[in-house]
Amino acid sequence: MSSPAGRMEDDSELFNGFGSAPLQRNPSSGKRNQRWSFHDNLRPNLVELPSEASAIGKRRMSDITGIDGVHTEIDPYHISPAQLYSTESGRLFHAGKICIALAGLPGRGKTHLSVSLTRYLRWLGVKTHLFHLGNYRRANAEDDLRHDLFVPTPDNPKAHGFRQKIVNECLNDMLNFFKNDKGQVAIYDAVNALPEYRLELHKKFTELNIQIIFVESSVTNDAIIMKNMEEAARSSPDYVNWDYEQAYKDYSERIKVLTPFYQEMGEEDDQNKLSYIKFINFGDRIELHNSNYGYLINKVVFFLMNSRIKLGSVFFARCYKNSLDYSYDPPLDETGIQYSKNLTETLTEYLKDQGKTYFDDKNKTIGSSISARPQVSRELSVDERHPAAGVDGVDDNSFVVWTSVKKRTIQSTQFFADKDINIRHRIQLSQKNPGIVGNMTKEEVAKKFPTEYEQFLKDPYHHRFSRAELYHDLAIKIEPLILEMERMSGDILIIADDTVLKVFYGYLMSCSCYDIPSLHFSTDEIIEIKFNAYSNSSKRIEIKDFS
């Protein structure tokens, strides 16, 4: 039975009222938690002594991969872009503590799934961290231990001891995350090959009042496996500086060695009353077992229903005359038409250089004169503007353009339309309404509303001027587009106001809400965010002048 102090720590928001702790970045009282280094032996051992879990010490989490913030440790005062409220415990009060344990052979997209799920839950404000067992293996591996490391019951005692060591280190960090960092969801990315291993995990976490659910990624489509193997050989941290052919061969051998030992989740797991989701062919079919799930797990299931393996990119382009009054909606002028042509030709050239073929045999000559404004020959139907789910992004080699419903963004896509590229109009991409300060300079706002301006400077993400929208409002508004993006493959270009681009970028790159308002998008460049199983990466593409 938990102590009264423990109950007060975890349940204080229940006693003090819904969302009792206000959103704030720099609390006036309280001390920040100590950071944990990657090899700090002072962290408390919670695997062997879970009853001693109240000790406080330094710990470590997974290493940081790439430039995407999805792997970084969450700051104690981090507020997520779409977070609806905060509590004293730091957890959504109605969701509890949850461990999501992946299961499946290598090449089944487990890491891709765990990373994208972590990004989505963090976006919603759920304190989530991802624990890759592979990170612990790479940090401790010795040269004489090769594929034996992946066999769940190896004959090699040294390999067996090594495996037990890294599993305990990883689980220990997960328990520290729940206890000392007040985490809510820990995602455990490992093979979890045998029913007895899965049952052991279940017992360990349920004894600590942590709900555990398994997500098994099962693939029967050889094309998906081949695609995942190619991606792993190119981008896995295991194969940094490896020749591609050697990496592919090594990864194939790893799968071959482990396959005879892996037991799919099924009858034995059902008898042990394990809760699990079978995620088959990355979203083709989902099976729920022992599914007495709560609010947060149902959100996870909904996300899985919209999740696909993504190999393309999202391109961001700032719309022309970003500074126009919110209510003003003029057509493009001559300079704006030239900008649209430069954007189209720059991206077309860039994608062709990447080997993309969706422009082949579609190109139509763009007239040499650009002084006439492009006109849409007819009104697009509702189905063309908002097609049914699953129409776009079915193929990896596909391309679609999203714009807001403003004239200047719609007309910016005319040259893509001339190339028979699908254009979709999304009202959620409308710029942030600035309210009564829309036509004012910063100096004018500071003079007329000095107190409000001071509050705005402290938190530009959450401060609302009269009749204005927040960045937070945009974050809530674009969630349907995020889910649509997650179920698409191929490339997407988003042409919108920079306020919208900032929020989308914040999702894809796992930014804090404090970073989003200061992001800068220029009309001189396109921003590419490339999807990767381990972390997204961003790149700037200079827009060329084709006049």
Side-chain angles (χ1 to χ4, degrees), residues 437 440-454 457 465:
V437 301
M440 299 182 186
T441 64
K442 290 182 180 180
E443 292 75 17
E444 291 171 337
V445 175
K447 183 177 180 179
K448 190 170 183 179
F449 306 105
T451 303
E452 279 206 75
Y453 186 68
E454 184 178 347
L457 292 178
F465 288 102

Side-chain angles (χ1 to χ4, degrees), residues 332-334 337-338 369-375 411 414-415:
L332 287 179
D333 57 21
E334 184 174 341
I337 295 171
Q338 182 64 55
S369 173
I370 61 165
S371 59
R373 293 171 183 161
Q375 299 293 323
Q411 292 185 354
Q414 180 65 41
F415 299 118

Side-chain angles (χ1 to χ4, degrees), residues 335-488:
T335 305
I337 295 171
Q338 182 64 55
Y339 168 71
S340 302
K341 180 182 179 182
N342 292 342
L343 168 63
T344 304
E345 295 303 320
T346 297
L347 191 55
T348 300
E349 184 180 279
Y350 177 81
L351 290 170
K352 284 185 174 181
D353 288 344
Q354 305 302 309
K356 303 298 176 67
T357 61
Y358 32 67
F359 292 111
D360 291 355
D361 301 323
K362 292 184 177 182
N363 295 341
K364 298 178 182 179
T365 303
I366 297 177
S368 57
S369 173
I370 61 165
S371 59
R373 293 171 183 161
Q375 299 293 323
V376 178
S377 59
R378 62 179 174 82
E379 182 71 18
L380 293 175
S381 69
V382 173
D383 286 341
E384 289 173 311
R385 294 195 305 268
H386 303 284
V391 171
D392 294 327
V394 175
D395 196 320
D396 291 341
N397 189 38
S398 65
F399 183 53
V400 65
V401 180
W402 288 358
T403 75
S404 74
V405 295
K406 292 283 189 180
K407 287 181 183 177
R408 66 183 185 278
T409 57
I410 293 174
Q411 292 185 354
S412 294
T413 65
Q414 180 65 41
F415 299 118
F416 285 109
D418 287 344
K419 298 173 182 288
D420 289 341
I421 298 300
N422 288 328
I423 313 296
R424 308 303 184 197
H425 305 154
R426 298 287 187 258
I427 195 169
Q428 297 97 330
L429 296 177
S430 298
Q431 70 195 85
K432 182 169 75 72
N433 186 344
I436 62 172
V437 301
N439 295 319
M440 299 182 186
T441 64
K442 290 182 180 180
E443 292 75 17
E444 291 171 337
V445 175
K447 183 177 180 179
K448 190 170 183 179
F449 306 105
T451 303
E452 279 206 75
Y453 186 68
E454 184 178 347
Q455 293 172 347
F456 167 77
L457 292 178
K458 290 179 180 178
D459 189 358
Y461 191 88
H462 291 106
H463 181 75
R464 186 190 303 277
F465 288 102
S466 179
R467 298 195 294 275
E469 283 185 304
L470 310 177
Y471 280 105
H472 183 264
D473 295 331
L474 298 186
I476 301 300
K477 190 165 62 175
I478 69 169
E479 185 178 1
L481 298 185
I482 286 173
L483 292 172
E484 183 175 355
M485 180 187 297
E486 288 291 347
R487 64 174 171 258
M488 292 171 59

Side-chain angles (χ1 to χ4, degrees), residues 60-92:
R60 62 179 171 82
M61 289 186 180
S62 307
D63 57 347
I64 298 173
T65 306
I67 59 174
D68 183 352
V70 74
H71 291 91
T72 59
E73 181 185 357
I74 302 176
D75 187 276
Y77 308 112
H78 173 96
I79 298 176
S80 300
Q83 184 169 335
L84 294 179
Y85 64 91
S86 68
T87 62
E88 289 183 6
S89 73
R91 304 184 184 106
L92 298 181

